């Protein structure tokens, strides 16, 4: 928000902005359409040859994972027969489901905001919900089957990386590191002045309830968003390695992260 509304020293830098569902952004990155974009970490191997990950702006944390929900009680050993709604083929939510429940192979893709209704209307037996919906699903009459983020943390003892910001490899190194620092400053600004960014967030939120908005922000925007550090990098590389081992992702052969010439202090 601070970058969009030029609340920081932009050093005469100009950007063209677009907002879109993360799966649509994943597809645009795969088609090499964007210079900088938010993406699902699970999608990154499919365009790693064209992009690097910035060390700022990522959604990494604990207790922030996708939640597998159902309308009727489903036991975990019944998931091999269940049709499960997912928020995109290349989302981290889909990858986590395949890592934790490799037998859950019957999936159907939906826009993330439509998954609750797909489960409630019995179009699917279960669904993997993300973003604000993980706070509101009990009010809709849905029940938790598994918190996939909690399972990830039990298995790895690491925070869960969900999304990241990529930048085109071919850009000059000084441009990449300068934007990484600018993005870090933008996150720090938002964390320090949450009410300033609230109107912008509400304008684009799926749920306009301010308590839900702040729950969402507090869960997904944290010190890892300012600077992922070595723990954040390890979480990302572990997820990508497990994805490759499961056969869901191609292995990444290139360097993953933009090199920093100067430390960013959270």
């Amino acid at each position: 928000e601070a970058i969009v509304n030029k609340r920081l020293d932009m050093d005469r830098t100009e950007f063209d902005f677009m907002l879109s569902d993360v799966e649509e952004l994943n597809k645009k990155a795969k088609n090499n359409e964007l210079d900088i974009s938010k993406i699902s970490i699970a999608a990154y191997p499919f365009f790693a040859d064209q992009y690097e990950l910035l060390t700022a702006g990522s959604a990494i944390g604990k207790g922030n994972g996708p939640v597998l929900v159902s309308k009727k009680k489903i036991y975990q050993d019944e998931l091999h027969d269940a049709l499960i709604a997912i928020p995109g083929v290349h989302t981290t939510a889909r990858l986590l489901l395949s890592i934790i429940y490799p037998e859950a192979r019957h999936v159907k893709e939906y826009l993330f905001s439509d998954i609750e209704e797909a489960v409630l209307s019995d179009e699917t037996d279960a669904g993997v919900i993300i973003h604000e919906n993980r706070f509101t699903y009990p009010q809709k009459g849905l029940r938790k089957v598994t918190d996939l983020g909690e399972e990830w943390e039990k298995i790895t003892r690491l925070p869960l990386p969900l999304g990241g910001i990529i930048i085109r490899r071919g850009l000059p190194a000084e441009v990449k590191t300068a934007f990484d620092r600018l993005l870090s400053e933008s996150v720090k600004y938002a964390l320090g002045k949450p009410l300033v960014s609230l109107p912008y967030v509400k304008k684009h939120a799926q749920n306009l309830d301010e308590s839900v908005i702040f729950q969402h922000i507090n869960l997904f925007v944290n010190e890892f968003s300012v600077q992922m550090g070595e723990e954040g990098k390890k979480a990302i590389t572990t997820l990508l390695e497990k994805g490759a081992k499961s056969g869901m992702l191609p292995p990444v052969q290139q360097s993953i992260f933009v090199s920093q010439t100067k430390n960013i202090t959270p």
Side-chain angles (χ1 to χ4, degrees):
E1 187 273 344
I3 293 176
V4 173
N5 291 305
K6 299 182 178 180
R7 302 188 193 280
L8 304 173
D9 180 4
M10 305 287 287
D11 193 25
R12 299 185 302 279
T13 304
E14 296 289 338
F15 299 96
D16 292 324
F17 297 97
M18 64 168 291
L19 292 172
S20 189
D21 172 68
V22 69
E23 184 68 350
E24 183 63 28
L25 294 176
N26 291 338
K27 293 173 182 176
K28 288 183 178 296
K30 192 173 182 180
N31 292 332
N32 200 21
E33 296 178 27
L34 305 169
D35 290 320
I36 303 168
S37 180
K38 176 182 178 180
I39 51 97
S40 300
I41 295 298
Y44 176 70
F46 295 97
F47 37 77
D49 60 330
Q50 295 293 331
Y51 295 95
E52 291 174 291
L53 276 165
L54 296 175
T55 61
S58 294
I60 303 173
K62 298 180 179 179
N64 68 343
V67 179
L68 179 63
V69 300
S70 65
K71 180 180 174 182
K72 303 169 186 175
K73 188 169 183 62
I74 295 179
Y75 293 96
Q76 294 176 13
D77 60 3
E78 298 175 324
L79 290 174
H80 63 283
D81 287 328
L83 177 61
I84 302 173
I86 59 169
V89 174
H90 297 306
T91 58
T92 309
R94 170 68 179 105
L95 178 60
L96 274 178
L97 181 69
S98 69
I99 291 173
I100 296 169
Y101 297 115
E103 71 278 12
R105 298 182 178 275
H106 302 295
V107 298
K108 186 175 180 180
E109 188 176 3
Y110 287 84
L111 186 66
F112 79 91
S113 53
D114 293 338
I115 288 179
E116 287 178 319
E117 185 55 37
V119 180
L120 288 167
S121 64
D122 296 319
E123 285 185 33
T124 64
D125 301 304
V128 182
I129 56 172
I130 58 176
H131 300 328
E132 298 99 322
N133 295 343
R134 73 188 312 281
F135 304 113
T136 59
Y137 72 87
Q139 302 162 19
K140 307 282 182 63
L142 296 172
R143 61 178 73 195
K144 179 173 71 174
V145 179
T146 308
D147 186 316
L148 298 175
E150 289 180 0
E151 292 301 312
W152 165 264
E153 290 169 32
K154 289 178 187 175
I155 293 168
T156 66
R157 305 298 180 191
L158 289 168
L160 173 64
L162 291 171
I165 309 297
I166 55 169
I167 192 165
R168 193 183 297 281
R169 285 185 183 274
L171 291 173
E174 60 270 21
V175 172
K176 291 187 283 189
T177 56
F179 184 77
D180 207 5
R181 294 191 196 102
L182 182 62
L183 184 59
S184 178
E185 291 298 325
S186 178
V187 176
K188 284 193 285 187
Y189 184 97
L191 288 172
K193 300 180 180 180
L195 293 179
V196 173
S197 61
L198 183 59
Y200 179 83
V201 174
K202 288 183 73 171
K203 181 179 177 181
H204 301 290
Q206 293 289 324
N207 189 312
L208 296 180
D209 186 305
E210 288 189 11
S211 65
V212 173
I213 288 173
F214 280 117
Q215 276 183 286
H216 180 87
I217 291 172
N218 291 338
L219 193 61
F220 293 100
V221 184
N222 52 37
E223 70 275 11
F224 290 110
S225 307
V226 176
Q227 170 56 233
M228 67 174 62
E230 292 306 312
E231 187 178 14
K233 290 181 179 180
K234 184 177 180 182
I236 289 173
T237 55
T238 299
L239 181 68
L240 297 180
E241 287 168 0
K242 285 186 175 295
K245 188 175 181 180
S246 74
M248 289 292 296
L249 301 180
V252 177
Q253 307 292 347
Q254 301 84 359
S255 62
I256 296 175
F257 306 101
V258 167
S259 297
Q260 285 294 330
T261 57
K262 186 170 95 175
N263 289 334
I264 300 172
T265 303

